[in-house]
Amino acid sequence: GTMIYGMALTIGNVLLPQIQGALSATHDQIAWVVTFHLVAVAVATPLTGWLAGLIGRKRFMTSTIIGFVISTVLCGASDSLMELVIWRIAQGLFGAPLMPLVQAIILDIYPRRNHALVTMLWGLVAVSGPFTGAIFGGYVGELINWRWAFYLVAPIGIVAWAGCQIFLSEGWRGRTEYMDWIGFFSLVIAIGSFQLMLDRGLRLDWFESTEIIIEAIVAMLALYVFFVHSLTEQRPFINLRLLLNRNFSLGLIFAFIFGALHLTPMVLYPTLLQDLRDFPESIIGLLLSARAV
């Protein structure tokens, strides 16, 4: 489950230049494929815990994998940029819960004394997904077609689904009843607007653009509502007092830095290497995968 999410992430990025040519899209237009995917991930990730507690971890995990596989296949079947963007949004919504859900299941199943070991083993798989996807996507895209790189994720997804059906026990259902919707929506709007602002800012000359100004205002207002509501609500969506824990806060800072260093090159390198250096997709895949080592 972890691996297919990582694979799909790098497959899409490695093949972005080829997809751009196939769909006759400009650099600005093809960027929406990445932007809306990230916004969908930002929206879906905070809901993971609540949904897992509402319908149960096994049912949520298996249905998420099915949705992710179907949306990935439909990404490959897209005949227009609009279709591709829509299915990338679906891919982000279904794929986002996979990483935190798998982590939570692992920590719940194994006793505390094994947590360091199983987290390390999971981390190796989490890295192998982007690594495999970069090489796999590059070679398949060059030898056959960019569509088949998406299609061939399906068999791995089916194996993941079957494994969860056989080995995963049901649990957590009925754990969550109350949902702080004000806290959730204000956080999602803040993150989504901020993500759009950062992604579109350079192309639109930042605050010279009305769109960027609107997105910045919406992000600030939503963030203000989120903080005020979270500090005054008895059962907030996210308990901000968790940030008083020094280890937790340091972990978030490191995760933020790692995310910036890990994801940014994966989006930028393929286009730069193909447009400026004329590298084929297979070599781009190998270069991206070297980072995983």
Side-chain angles (χ1 to χ4, degrees), residues 25-273:
T26 64
H27 280 293
D28 193 42
Q29 289 172 329
I30 204 68
W32 287 110
V33 173
V34 177
T35 302
F36 276 115
H37 179 78
L38 290 174
V39 171
V41 169
V43 169
T45 303
L47 271 178
T48 302
W50 181 72
L51 284 170
L54 188 70
I55 65 175
R57 67 185 180 196
K58 182 177 180 177
R59 189 176 300 177
F60 185 40
M61 184 73 187
T62 50
S63 58
T64 300
I65 291 172
I66 290 168
F68 183 77
V69 168
I70 291 171
S71 57
T72 301
V73 170
L74 290 171
C75 282
S78 300
D79 290 322
S80 68
L81 184 67
M82 181 63 75
E83 273 186 62
L84 182 60
V85 168
I86 289 169
W87 296 122
R88 283 284 282 176
I89 291 170
Q91 195 185 45
L93 291 173
F94 284 112
L98 285 172
M99 298 286 259
L101 186 59
V102 171
Q103 275 185 296
I105 290 171
I106 285 172
L107 294 177
D108 188 46
I109 288 174
Y110 287 92
R112 196 174 187 87
R113 66 179 182 276
N114 292 336
H115 280 184
L117 176 64
V118 295
T119 304
M120 180 272 290
L121 292 172
W122 173 83
L124 289 174
V125 178
V127 171
S128 72
F131 165 80
T132 310
I135 297 177
F136 175 81
Y139 273 101
V140 172
E142 189 179 325
L143 295 173
I144 310 174
N145 188 282
W146 65 270
R147 298 181 187 278
W148 279 95
F150 285 105
Y151 295 155
L152 292 174
V153 172
I156 304 168
I158 291 167
V159 171
W161 174 83
C164 289
Q165 286 284 12
I166 295 166
F167 298 111
L168 191 60
S169 60
E170 193 54 271
W172 303 351
R173 192 175 184 186
R175 183 184 287 186
T176 52
E177 297 174 0
Y178 175 77
M179 176 62 169
D180 176 22
W181 289 108
I182 296 174
F184 168 70
F185 280 118
S186 59
L187 179 64
V188 163
I189 292 168
I191 293 173
S193 301
F194 190 57
Q195 178 69 53
L196 279 172
M197 184 191 83
L198 290 177
D199 193 79
R200 303 272 294 160
L202 191 62
R203 296 180 183 85
L204 302 178
D205 201 19
W206 295 105
F207 292 103
E208 297 296 318
S209 165
T210 306
E211 179 191 322
I212 299 300
I213 293 170
I214 291 170
E215 285 162 359
I217 291 169
V218 170
M220 286 190 293
L221 287 173
L223 200 62
Y224 172 77
V225 170
F226 171 74
F227 276 117
V228 171
H229 178 77
S230 297
L231 292 170
T232 54
E233 173 69 21
Q234 281 191 341
R235 297 169 67 187
F237 178 65
I238 293 176
N239 186 353
L240 296 179
R241 290 171 183 81
L242 286 169
L243 298 173
L244 296 174
N245 184 305
R246 187 169 54 190
N247 283 339
F248 181 68
S249 296
L250 280 172
L252 287 179
I253 292 167
F254 278 117
F256 175 80
I257 295 168
F258 172 77
L261 295 173
H262 176 63
L263 292 173
T264 307
M266 283 203 300
V267 177
L268 291 178
Y269 283 174
T271 307
L272 291 173
L273 289 170

